[in-house]
Amino acid sequence: MDQSLLPNIYDFISKTYPFSQLSPLEMDAVATAVKISYHQPGDILDDADLAGAGLYLVRTGACEELTKPDGKLRARMGVGDTFGYTQIDKQGRSDYKVRFLENSLIYFINRNVLKLIFEKNKAVGSYFSSNDRVRLHSSQAAATARREASGAGRTVFEAATRHIPLMQEDDTIQEVAAALRDTHSEMAVIARGDQPEGVITKTDISNRAVACGLPATAKASEIMSRGVISIEGSEPVERALELMVMNNIECLPVTDHGRFTGVITPTRMLRDSRLESVYLLRDVTNVDSIKALPLLSHRVKGIFTGMLAAGMPPHDVQRMMSRIADVFYEKIISLNIKQAGTPPCRFAWFAAGSLARCEVQFLSDQDNGIILEKDPGKEGMEYFARLSDAVCHDLDSCGYPLCDGNYMASNPKWRVTLEQWERNYSSWIADTTQNAILNSMVFLDIRHLHGDAELTSALKRHLSEEVNANSRFLATLCTISTTVAPPLGTFRQFVLTKDGKNEPYFNIKKQAVNLIVELARLYGLAARSQETDTYARLKAARAAGVLRDEDYRDLAEAYTFINSVRFTHQLNSIKSGAKLTNNLPPSELSQFERNHLRDAFRIISRQQQAANVKFASGRGIL
Amino acid sequence: MGIAALFNPYERLLARIKRSAQSPDLPSELRPFYERPMPSGRTSVWNVPFTSIDFETTGLDFKNDIVISLGGVGFDGPSIDYETAFHTLLRVDGSKINAQSAIVNMITPEQLCSGEDPHEAMLKLMDKLSGGLVLTHCSAIEYHFLKKTLGLGDSLELPMAFADTMQLERAITGYHEGVDVRLSSIRQRRGLPSYEAHNACADSIATAEVFLAQSRELFRKRPPSVSEIFRRSH
């Protein structure tokens, strides 16, 4: 059937991920196989409707998946969401049932058609594979995580540019030239459908068209270079370089599962925000006056956005931002000590919270403290008071805002002797009331910054020993860490918080990122690990046998994806000059992000339940 | 026909079809369609041949206007089966297309000149529809244009039962005056996606979707019977 006759379904399918990735022919096959049904609130789909049936796509309305037999919410679905795929190879009984919440129009595609399509289009098929982790993994955004795990270099995707005109074979030379002008590109890719067939450079237009007297209306196919060598985006950058050298070309079309998505050039490959940050680190290290630092700190924003725009993995971005923060801290502390004179006793300056975890974002506020070797007397105390006031103030003027909770060395409570710190920790850990722990949570993550590293290590050892000597503590920490549930009923406004302007939003930090950070802390402490980085904690827990490999991979994958969504949106707000926030209005999330976030939330929810079973007993790890 | 059946519109329809089948005025090429049995009034609408159709015409004057395209889609139980969707452009004498209807229908005169012979197309359509339930929005249009194109006189009935989403909507809204029963308004009230109007196939699907919603509103989970739907459609 002609596509124009079924505008609605084609329109809808072509805009709904992952169907949007199908070729026109495949989309045709899917569209004509659709069956439409209508459901009212309270209607249930169960067993035979789902097991061995096919894929359901919500056209309008809303419904939810409920686990069996307890009827717990598994996921909530709205327009463009799909369900049923994981059940297509089951028989008789389904793993969950679906209940409708609103009047809903549902598109249904039966399993035989799906199998046929997915046999042809593996990329779309793999998206629907039954495991949420696999799905997150198969998403392009998580390609970075994969690379991180394998330790390989950047992929072509990360270095490629997508801003290049894609023209068709029968477009005219004039149209190609206009597209080159409008996109400031050196070359255009000429395709048949989505398949790159050739390329035209600006030089080609001059040499092969104008110089040969071809009319401007001649077809692009007449002057394009054929037999184009292209590269899959998932390949390492090195492979692209190799192809360029071997074939003496300077521009390679990049494909995603055979479909054109952009090009990669040597300049693109060399542009690396890591270099810019290396320069900044060098400049900060060379500075000998505090006055020069705020000016240098202005470059941090550009580096942050550069790293995000270059598609650097979220974790690498945070590590680099933390490294930069470390250098600013070090410089500010040592310059202030130079002014204040020799300290009256040995001491250690440590970072707490996100800097301790090496998870600094742009504009993360400061959390830190001082451990004194011994009581330096009244005068000595005044020395540290002056020093810490100056340091915290200077940090503030370098883009590390003062902490709202006053968790800073400038607060006399957090500028005490090792002995006092140890007593603090002992009492927080022995108290096990939720308030005591909540107030000290930020100090459960500490990392040495300046001074006598042995003091920080001693305190960390003390923390670890106390935690493991007091099994009730982990139980309480677990309760606190799993209080906030991920927003499983994603993006239907009734489950979202409202901000002052009464717009529903989802706080990606509080409702997602923190949940995994807290689980990782819990497992890290249980594994007696001194690590503070979230991934490192999870790894340590796996190594210690506290966390199964399976669970480790689930959490790491979910964490990477959630952070990538968070960063993408922060990058967008920076670009549009909006205020940087962790509040995402659901309307700003793409279908792709929503689908994958739901997978990530499901993982978190599962892991929270598992942690509750493990720790709630108060006997530590069973 | 029993006394009770006199008051049952569907039984009266069956009687008219039976009379038409025996009428000497019935063109012989149409006779085979009248030999197909009609479903009994008590059968569930989900268990009978059930097709939603829509005609695009040059206007609403049955005498002078003509059909320029037709489209439809079949039900498979209580769901719409896209695979059965069809769409046909009919050949039209150029002089009969006025500019306005071409604009409304987005069909160019060139397309129509190469369309299918109207009589042939209607015979094919009869093959899909006869002996079953036919859904339209405002059935008078399809009913009269179908009869006219086939050359059926006023005294002869079509061998099919018409269901009408416009009448069903009136039944749902309590036959109040001033209720907007245009397809687009009905869909809007139910939050159904808006359709690009005036393509016969898309409109027939839009109508079918409305029917799914209406049948749930009128009969909840119970499958409605053919005579229940027919009665509320007329």
Side-chain angles (χ1 to χ4, degrees):
Chain A
M1 170 134 294
D2 185 350
Q3 299 200 3
S4 66
L5 294 173
L6 302 174
N8 244 38
I9 183 151
Y10 278 102
D11 239 39
F12 186 64
I13 287 187
S14 65
K15 283 180 191 142
T16 303
Y17 189 89
F19 295 102
S20 46
Q21 309 296 305
L22 294 173
S23 75
L25 209 66
E26 292 160 347
M27 224 179 270
D28 209 79
V30 168
T32 49
V34 161
K35 288 196 177 172
I36 309 173
S37 59
Y38 182 82
H39 305 272
Q40 291 192 308
D43 281 6
I44 300 272
L45 296 179
D46 200 358
D47 294 342
D49 303 323
L50 299 167
L55 180 75
Y56 292 83
L57 183 60
V58 180
R59 178 64 186 88
T60 57
C63 56
E64 57 191 12
E65 289 175 6
L66 303 172
T67 56
K68 296 203 295 197
D70 54 358
K72 273 191 66 169
L73 180 65
R74 192 168 175 269
R76 190 165 286 158
M77 282 124 349
V79 177
D81 292 337
T82 56
F83 60 89
Y85 190 76
T86 57
Q87 306 298 305
I88 70 165
D89 288 325
K90 309 246 176 227
Q91 283 183 338
R93 291 184 55 76
S94 60
D95 296 340
Y96 57 85
K97 57 186 178 181
V98 170
R99 181 169 68 197
F100 288 89
L101 303 167
E102 293 173 8
N103 287 330
S104 306
L105 203 57
I106 300 293
Y107 288 173
F108 172 76
I109 303 155
N110 85 35
R111 69 189 287 269
N112 298 333
V113 176
L114 286 178
K115 294 225 154 157
L116 204 73
I117 298 291
F118 294 164
E119 186 55 40
K120 288 206 172 121
N121 195 323
K122 297 261 182 352
V124 173
S126 76
Y127 168 78
F128 282 109
S129 62
S130 54
N131 180 305
D132 34 28
R133 185 206 320 137
V134 174
R135 213 149 44 212
L136 283 183
H137 201 82
S138 75
S139 76
Q140 210 189 86
T144 48
R146 199 151 56 238
R147 216 214 30 241
E148 201 171 47
S150 67
R154 284 194 300 167
T155 62
V156 169
F157 272 138
E158 285 167 65
T161 170
R162 282 155 201 271
H163 300 290
I164 191 124
L166 175 65
M167 307 294 289
Q168 294 295 319
E169 281 179 319
D170 46 9
D171 287 337
T172 66
I173 293 173
Q174 185 173 9
E175 283 166 333
V176 174
L180 289 174
R181 177 198 60 203
D182 295 342
T183 54
H184 304 287
S185 310
E186 285 303 314
M187 83 168 217
V189 170
I190 311 300
R192 180 182 299 153
D194 282 328
Q195 293 288 329
E197 288 287 321
V199 294
I200 293 180
T201 62
K202 278 185 178 163
T203 324
D204 291 337
I205 294 188
S206 149
N207 292 356
R208 297 183 191 169
V210 182
C212 299
L214 281 186
T217 51
K219 299 268 178 273
S221 55
E222 288 184 45
I223 62 161
M224 71 182 184
S225 315
R226 289 171 191 277
V228 175
I229 299 157
S230 63
I231 187 165
E232 269 291 309
S234 51
E235 299 264 1
V237 170
E238 289 71 20
R239 172 80 187 130
L241 200 59
E242 197 183 307
L243 279 174
M244 289 179 186
V245 172
M246 282 173 59
N247 298 289
N248 194 25
I249 44 177
E250 293 199 343
C251 197
L252 270 183
V254 176
T255 54
D256 180 7
H257 294 92
R259 208 170 284 196
F260 171 78
T261 59
V263 293
I264 182 167
T265 60
T267 356
R268 291 290 308 181
M269 280 191 267
L270 285 174
R271 229 186 82 186
D272 187 340
S273 348
R274 273 173 247 221
L275 279 181
E276 292 165 40
S277 37
V278 169
Y279 290 132
L280 176 67
L281 294 181
R282 189 198 57 193
D283 293 348
V284 172
T285 314
N286 290 341
V287 153
D288 50 14
S289 144
I290 290 174
K291 278 193 225 107
L293 287 171
L295 200 65
L296 286 176
S297 74
H298 293 323
R299 279 158 58 184
V300 176
K301 184 177 179 178
I303 290 172
F304 181 61
T305 50
M307 288 189 293
L308 296 189
M312 206 158 140
H315 190 219
D316 288 359
V317 174
Q318 288 182 325
R319 263 203 304 243
M320 184 52 83
M321 292 296 286
S322 304
R323 177 80 195 107
I324 294 172
D326 282 1
V327 173
F328 271 98
Y329 265 82
E330 172 60 35
K331 196 70 195 179
I332 288 171
I333 294 171
S334 49
L335 284 177
N336 272 297
I337 288 177
K338 216 161 138 193
Q339 272 178 10
T342 317
C345 68
R346 294 196 301 141
F347 72 96
W349 206 305
F350 66 86
S354 63
L355 180 57
R357 294 193 304 272
C358 298
E359 287 168 2
V360 168
Q361 298 275 111
F362 183 56
L363 294 182
S364 281
D365 61 3
Q366 39 171 316
D367 296 314
N368 54 66
I370 292 179
I371 309 166
L372 301 170
E373 169 207 13
K374 56 174 193 212
D375 186 346
K378 190 163 170 283
E379 243 168 76
M381 277 300 191
E382 274 165 15
Y383 171 92
F384 284 110
R386 280 194 307 276
L387 177 66
S388 54
D389 269 349
V391 167
C392 293
H393 172 265
D394 290 340
L395 283 170
D396 184 48
S397 52
C398 287
Y400 300 99
L402 298 173
C403 168
D404 292 341
N406 207 2
Y407 293 113
M408 293 179 292
S410 53
N411 179 345
K413 260 171 91 180
W414 314 130
R415 192 173 68 226
V416 294
T417 60
L418 176 62
E419 208 183 318
Q420 180 59 46
W421 272 113
E422 289 183 344
R423 274 200 301 275
N424 287 349
Y425 275 89
S426 299
S427 78
W428 294 330
I429 289 164
D431 186 331
T432 71
T433 59
Q434 296 201 6
N435 255 347
I437 297 179
L438 275 174
N439 290 333
S440 57
M441 198 94 125
V442 67
F443 290 119
L444 291 180
D445 308 328
I446 59 174
R447 185 165 64 85
H448 181 73
L449 284 176
H450 181 97
D452 195 334
E454 182 43 40
L455 291 170
T456 315
S457 300
L459 188 55
K460 290 184 78 156
R461 271 197 307 276
H462 177 76
L463 163 66
S464 176
E465 282 159 14
E466 286 286 308
V467 163
N468 286 287
N470 197 323
S471 59
R472 285 290 311 148
F473 173 77
L474 285 180
T476 316
L477 187 62
C478 177
T479 312
I480 294 171
S481 303
T482 56
T483 316
V484 178
L488 271 178
T490 335
F491 320 123
R492 303 293 306 175
Q493 55 197 23
F494 44 88
V495 295
L496 295 163
T497 359
K498 300 213 169 191
D499 68 4
K501 280 172 287 173
N502 216 27
E503 278 172 338
Y505 66 80
F506 146 66
N507 187 308
I508 194 163
K509 181 163 182 255
K510 288 189 188 145
Q511 291 179 278
V513 175
N514 284 358
L515 309 189
I516 299 183
V517 167
E518 286 171 13
L519 283 172
R521 177 189 296 127
L522 191 64
Y523 280 111
L525 287 172
R528 298 169 190 248
S529 159
Q530 312 250 326
E531 297 284 357
T532 44
D533 173 295
T534 295
Y535 290 99
R537 276 175 162 165
L538 292 172
K539 264 185 203 143
R542 178 179 61 173
V546 177
L547 191 64
R548 288 185 310 161
D549 179 55
E550 181 85 357
D551 298 329
Y552 160 76
R553 287 189 294 160
D554 273 5
L555 284 167
E557 204 77 65
Y559 191 59
T560 303
F561 183 76
I562 289 169
N563 264 325
S564 73
V565 172
R566 180 188 188 192
F567 278 30
T568 307
H569 286 267
Q570 293 198 336
L571 179 62
N572 289 343
S573 351
I574 289 178
K575 276 184 183 159
S576 65
K579 196 165 165 264
L580 212 55
T581 166
N582 285 308
N583 292 340
L584 304 184
S587 55
E588 278 180 22
L589 291 168
S590 67
Q591 187 69 45
F592 175 88
E593 289 174 328
R594 294 204 287 138
N595 286 349
H596 287 88
L597 277 177
R598 200 184 352 258
D599 287 334
F601 293 164
R602 238 180 336 235
I603 286 174
I604 296 176
S605 174
R606 208 157 60 212
Q607 294 295 337
Q608 285 186 336
Q609 284 168 29
N612 269 320
V613 171
K614 261 187 203 145
F615 296 106
S617 60
R619 278 170 284 142
I621 298 294
L622 294 174
Chain B
M1 186 157 56
I3 296 290
L6 279 174
F7 301 100
N8 180 331
Y10 185 69
E11 295 300 328
R12 295 212 305 274
L13 170 76
L14 294 185
R16 285 201 302 279
I17 293 174
K18 203 177 264 176
R19 274 201 303 279
S20 305
Q22 289 152 2
S23 163
D25 299 337
L26 186 69
S28 60
E29 60 176 359
L30 297 181
R31 285 200 187 277
F33 300 124
Y34 284 79
E35 282 159 16
R36 297 191 194 167
M38 287 295 290
S40 107
R42 286 189 304 275
T43 324
S44 149
V45 295
W46 306 131
N47 292 331
V48 305
F50 191 8
T51 311
S52 173
I53 60 163
D54 183 67
F55 289 178
E56 300 300 328
T57 64
T58 53
L60 294 179
D61 177 353
F62 303 130
K63 271 211 185 86
N64 297 314
D65 284 315
I66 50 166
V67 182
I68 53 181
S69 71
L70 60 89
V73 68
F75 285 90
D76 175 13
S79 57
I80 301 159
D81 187 356
Y82 257 70
E83 210 169 355
T84 63
F86 57 92
H87 186 260
T88 311
L89 290 181
L90 303 188
R91 190 168 64 231
V92 174
D93 172 5
S95 65
K96 292 224 175 176
I97 312 165
N98 58 46
Q100 199 173 5
S101 70
I103 291 166
V104 170
N105 297 297
M106 306 270 266
I107 299 172
T108 61
E110 290 76 19
Q111 286 178 302
L112 292 176
C113 292
S114 59
E116 197 171 334
D117 175 73
H119 191 77
E120 289 292 317
M122 289 299 174
L123 285 179
K124 279 187 196 160
L125 184 62
M126 282 295 281
D127 190 43
K128 286 187 205 287
L129 305 183
S130 52
L133 195 55
V134 178
L135 181 72
T136 60
H137 187 75
C138 187
S139 58
I141 299 174
E142 281 73 17
Y143 180 81
H144 288 292
F145 277 109
L146 183 53
K147 277 181 75 170
K148 183 189 119 174
T149 320
L150 289 169
L152 279 183
D154 287 344
S155 62
L156 295 176
E157 187 57 273
L158 284 167
M160 60 194 70
F162 274 84
D164 187 339
T165 48
M166 194 170 85
Q167 293 301 331
L168 288 168
E169 190 67 8
R170 292 212 167 99
I172 288 171
T173 53
Y175 300 96
H176 284 303
E177 287 291 318
V179 175
D180 186 349
V181 291
R182 285 174 304 172
L183 192 58
S184 57
S185 314
I186 294 179
R187 292 180 63 86
Q188 209 173 9
R189 279 203 291 278
R190 290 180 172 74
L192 293 169
S194 58
Y195 263 60
E196 214 175 280
H198 298 296
N199 152 339
C201 181
D203 278 2
S204 71
I205 292 166
T207 307
E209 286 176 355
V210 165
F211 183 82
L212 290 180
Q214 287 176 331
S215 70
R216 287 300 304 272
E217 285 160 36
L218 281 164
F219 303 94
R220 298 184 176 274
K221 293 195 176 180
R222 181 169 70 79
S225 74
V226 171
S227 72
E228 282 170 323
I229 290 298
F230 187 79
R231 181 161 58 78
R232 287 172 176 80
S233 294
H234 291 271

